[in-house]
Amino acid sequence: MIALIAGEGQYPLLFAKAVKEAGKPLLVVTFNGHANHSLAQFADKYYVLPLTKFGKLLKVLKENDAQEVAFAGRIRKSKVISEAKPDLKTILLWRKLRTRNDDDILRLAAEEIEKTGAKVISPTKYLPELLTPAGILTRKKPNKKQLEDIIYGFSIAKAIGELDIGQCVVVKDRMVVAVEALEGTDATIARAGKLLKDTVVVKVFKPTQDPRFDLPSAGLDTIKEMIAARAKVLALEAHRSLFFNREEALSLADKNGIVVVGVRYE
């Protein structure tokens, strides 16, 4: 049995479809306030749990003999914190955390899950086509000034990622315009748009990040937000980020003169 621990968005739905197309049984565990009930049509077993009842989650995985477990989809951390009613297992794990940043939370959750005998995997095992390819992905190419900002943006984003603050920065003329934190990428782009136009949006894989979880992602909504914010370049880390609705997103970028590039970062 493959288990999907699902948050919001299209990623869990794409994963569920891919697993079923592979002919494998699927257990879906999603959460109150974050559930996409469309997942039920692909699930052999389907559970909706309170998010902070980690002991119950472990019990469900054991009872259904989950062999592989994947995390996919967005969990709104601010909502979780404001509405939390944790069980004892969740409280004990919370106290063990070195920090309460996403990476540490997910790593500790994976360690506990693997104690049940399951292996925690990256969803890209079943969805490799979602990974951003390297190279210029739009008809328009970055100019010299934009290339300089991409290089600068990557250096800043990696430094911020080292601190597990966020995955995205917005830059212009080798100046930081906005940095992502709890609000997410779209809000970061919108905030930058209130300050400057013609900016460069950079999303990277954090240096300390576990590749099984929370890969940086972009898609059609990102391009729409960039249009509204008058941003001109989107640079994603190639092979270490997800690009949803790629064909439609790139078509919209081309129509609006936006550059999209996958950057191989070593």
Side-chain angles (χ1 to χ4, degrees), residues 189-260:
I189 295 171
R191 181 157 43 86
K194 294 176 181 178
L195 300 171
L196 290 173
K197 63 179 182 178
D198 301 331
T199 55
V200 174
V201 179
V202 176
K203 288 204 76 169
V204 305
F205 181 85
K206 293 179 288 188
T208 59
Q209 191 166 349
D210 189 316
R212 297 174 295 178
F213 315 121
D214 192 30
L215 289 180
S217 63
L220 185 60
D221 288 343
T222 312
I223 300 300
K224 290 178 179 177
E225 197 63 61
M226 289 178 64
I227 293 168
R230 300 171 298 169
K232 289 300 181 184
V233 179
L234 173 63
L236 303 170
E237 186 162 353
H239 312 306
R240 287 185 162 189
S241 64
L242 304 172
F243 201 159
F244 295 99
N245 304 112
R246 190 185 309 168
E247 185 175 338
E248 191 176 357
L250 293 177
S251 176
L252 184 61
D254 283 332
K255 289 177 183 176
N256 288 273
I258 291 173
V259 176
V260 181

Side-chain angles (χ1 to χ4, degrees), residues 12-265:
L13 199 57
L14 293 172
F15 179 82
K17 289 179 180 177
V19 169
K20 296 312 291 182
E21 287 171 2
K24 300 193 175 186
L26 178 66
L27 160 68
V28 173
V29 180
T30 188
F31 304 102
N32 293 330
H34 294 81
N36 178 352
H37 296 297
S38 298
L39 289 165
Q41 64 185 301
F42 301 103
D44 296 277
K45 296 286 186 70
Y46 181 76
Y47 294 82
V48 180
L49 304 179
L51 186 59
T52 52
K53 306 294 186 186
F54 193 68
K56 177 63 174 175
L57 171 62
L58 294 177
K59 183 179 179 182
V60 167
L61 295 176
K62 289 178 184 177
E63 288 177 347
N64 289 279
D65 192 27
Q67 299 299 305
E68 291 183 330
V69 178
F71 292 76
R74 182 185 176 204
I75 299 293
R76 287 169 287 157
K77 193 173 179 182
S78 57
K79 181 178 175 65
V80 175
I81 292 170
S82 64
E83 299 179 3
K85 294 181 180 179
D87 62 8
L88 179 60
K89 183 68 173 179
T90 305
I91 292 170
L92 292 174
L93 292 177
W94 188 254
R95 289 175 177 171
K96 284 178 64 176
L97 287 166
R98 180 177 58 87
T99 75
R100 274 68 187 266
N101 292 327
D102 294 349
D103 287 353
D104 283 345
I105 292 170
L106 290 168
R107 279 198 188 92
L108 185 58
E111 288 174 8
E112 293 298 316
I113 287 170
E114 291 194 331
K115 289 177 183 177
T116 70
K119 180 180 180 182
V120 177
I121 63 168
S122 168
T124 59
K125 176 178 178 178
Y126 293 91
L127 292 166
E129 67 276 10
L130 287 183
L131 292 169
T132 304
I136 299 166
L137 306 181
T138 45
R139 289 197 297 266
K140 189 172 184 179
K141 299 178 180 179
N143 58 36
K144 181 180 178 182
K145 189 175 178 182
Q146 289 168 339
L147 284 171
E148 290 174 351
D149 275 346
I150 290 170
I151 294 168
Y152 174 73
F154 261 74
S155 68
I156 296 297
K158 287 290 183 179
I160 290 166
E162 189 80 48
L163 300 172
D164 197 12
I165 294 172
Q167 300 169 316
C168 175
V169 296
V170 182
V171 302
K172 183 179 181 181
D173 296 334
R174 285 171 286 173
M175 297 184 296
V176 177
V177 181
V179 175
E180 178 188 20
L182 198 61
E183 78 275 31
T185 299
D186 288 352
T188 305
I189 295 171
R191 181 157 43 86
K194 294 176 181 178
L195 300 171
L196 290 173
K197 63 179 182 178
D198 301 331
T199 55
V200 174
V201 179
V202 176
K203 288 204 76 169
V204 305
F205 181 85
K206 293 179 288 188
T208 59
Q209 191 166 349
D210 189 316
R212 297 174 295 178
F213 315 121
D214 192 30
L215 289 180
S217 63
L220 185 60
D221 288 343
T222 312
I223 300 300
K224 290 178 179 177
E225 197 63 61
M226 289 178 64
I227 293 168
R230 300 171 298 169
K232 289 300 181 184
V233 179
L234 173 63
L236 303 170
E237 186 162 353
H239 312 306
R240 287 185 162 189
S241 64
L242 304 172
F243 201 159
F244 295 99
N245 304 112
R246 190 185 309 168
E247 185 175 338
E248 191 176 357
L250 293 177
S251 176
L252 184 61
D254 283 332
K255 289 177 183 176
N256 288 273
I258 291 173
V259 176
V260 181
V261 58
V263 179
R264 194 190 304 273
Y265 188 90

